[in-house]
């Protein structure tokens, strides 16, 4: 009887130890799984952060390139002088600006917001000459002396574009506004 009781105690002890080991193993596996899940979530978060950072760098590069190019062109005394007298030269400058930046349209507005010259990839560019854009933020901001970058819907096309503008200065002050319209898909 003692032998049977001992066997029963050993069996209980063995089953208890086995259950304890199994519970420990399950606990360890759950902890390892949790650690791996956290590592995976951290990796995904790092990848998202890096992707967002890269996209922002690309966007900043795009916007900076357009803004710097436009500001440099608008500050040129050559365009200010040409704008007040020689529209043929202005068209040539706009053509260079449009092709250099791959903008959809490059145009100049006088101090009343009337388009004086326009060069672009489509037929719309020639239709803009003589039209008023005095209500557009890119015109009003530039007339205050501030370069502008923003999204807007085209007046005649209704298509969204990224508009960059800068005031054109001469010795007497602002004589007009230089504008580039870019396709947001190009951003």
């Amino acid at each position: 009887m003692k032998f049977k009781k001992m066997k029963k105690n050993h069996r209980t002890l063995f089953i208890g130890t086995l259950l304890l080991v199994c519970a420990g193993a399950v606990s360890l596996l759950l902890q390892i799984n949790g650690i791996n899940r956290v590592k995976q979530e951290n990796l995904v978060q790092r990848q998202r952060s890096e992707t967002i950072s890269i996209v922002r760098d690309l966007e900043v590069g795009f916007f900076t390139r357009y803004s710097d190019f436009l500001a440099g062109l608008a500050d040129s005394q050559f365009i200010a002088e040409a704008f007040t007298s020689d529209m043929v030269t202005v068209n040539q400058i706009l053509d260079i600006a449009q092709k250099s930046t791959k903008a959809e349209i490059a145009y100049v507005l006088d101090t009343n917001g009337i388009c004086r010259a326009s060069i672009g990839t489509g037929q719309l560019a020639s239709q803009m000459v003589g039209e008023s854009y005095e209500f557009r933020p890119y015109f009003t901001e530039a007339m205050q002396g501030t370069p502008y970058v923003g999204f807007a819907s085209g007046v005649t096309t209704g298509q969204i574009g990224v508009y960059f503008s800068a005031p054109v200065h001469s010795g007497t002050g602002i004589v007009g506004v230089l504008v580039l319209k870019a396709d947001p898909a190009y951003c």
Side-chain angles (χ1 to χ4, degrees):
M1 237 202 229
K2 220 176 184 188
F3 183 71
K4 279 187 179 181
K5 193 173 184 184
M6 238 176 130
K7 264 185 156 180
K8 190 175 182 181
N9 284 342
H10 281 293
R11 196 177 325 148
T12 305
L13 183 61
F14 177 75
I15 291 174
T17 304
L18 186 60
L19 287 175
L20 189 59
V21 167
C22 287
V26 168
S27 175
L28 182 64
L29 287 174
L30 288 174
Q31 286 179 351
I32 291 171
N33 186 33
I35 290 169
N36 285 336
R37 191 174 68 241
V38 168
K39 283 182 181 179
Q40 185 63 29
E41 288 171 2
N42 288 342
L43 176 65
V44 168
Q45 185 58 38
R46 264 195 318 275
Q47 288 173 338
R48 281 188 189 137
S49 295
E50 287 174 17
T51 301
I52 289 169
S53 176
I54 290 168
V55 168
R56 283 188 184 144
D57 288 346
L58 290 173
E59 288 173 349
V60 167
F62 171 80
F63 287 111
T64 300
R65 182 173 53 113
Y66 262 76
S67 296
D68 289 349
F69 180 84
L70 186 65
L73 191 57
D75 283 342
S76 165
Q77 233 7 69
F78 183 67
I79 195 167
E81 290 168 9
F83 181 68
T84 56
S85 62
D86 183 12
M87 293 314 287
V88 172
T89 306
V90 170
N91 280 330
Q92 291 170 341
I93 293 168
L94 291 177
D95 189 47
I96 292 167
Q98 186 263 326
K99 287 177 180 169
S100 298
T101 60
K102 298 181 183 168
E104 285 183 32
I105 301 172
Y107 53 104
V108 287
L109 306 173
D110 64 18
T111 55
N112 295 315
I114 305 299
C115 181
R116 297 275 309 275
S118 179
I119 299 292
T121 56
Q123 197 175 34
L124 172 67
S126 62
Q127 296 171 356
M128 293 175 65
V129 176
E131 295 294 319
S132 175
Y133 296 90
E134 66 183 318
F135 60 93
R136 300 300 258 179
Y138 56 80
F139 172 73
T140 57
E141 289 288 322
M143 286 303 295
Q144 298 298 317
T146 308
Y148 175 86
V149 177
F151 289 90
S153 178
V155 173
T156 54
T157 64
Q159 294 176 339
I160 298 294
V162 183
Y163 290 81
F164 298 83
S165 69
V168 176
H169 296 277
S170 76
T172 59
I174 297 173
V175 294
V177 175
L178 183 59
V179 182
L180 292 176
K181 177 189 178 198
D183 182 352
Y186 183 67
C187 298

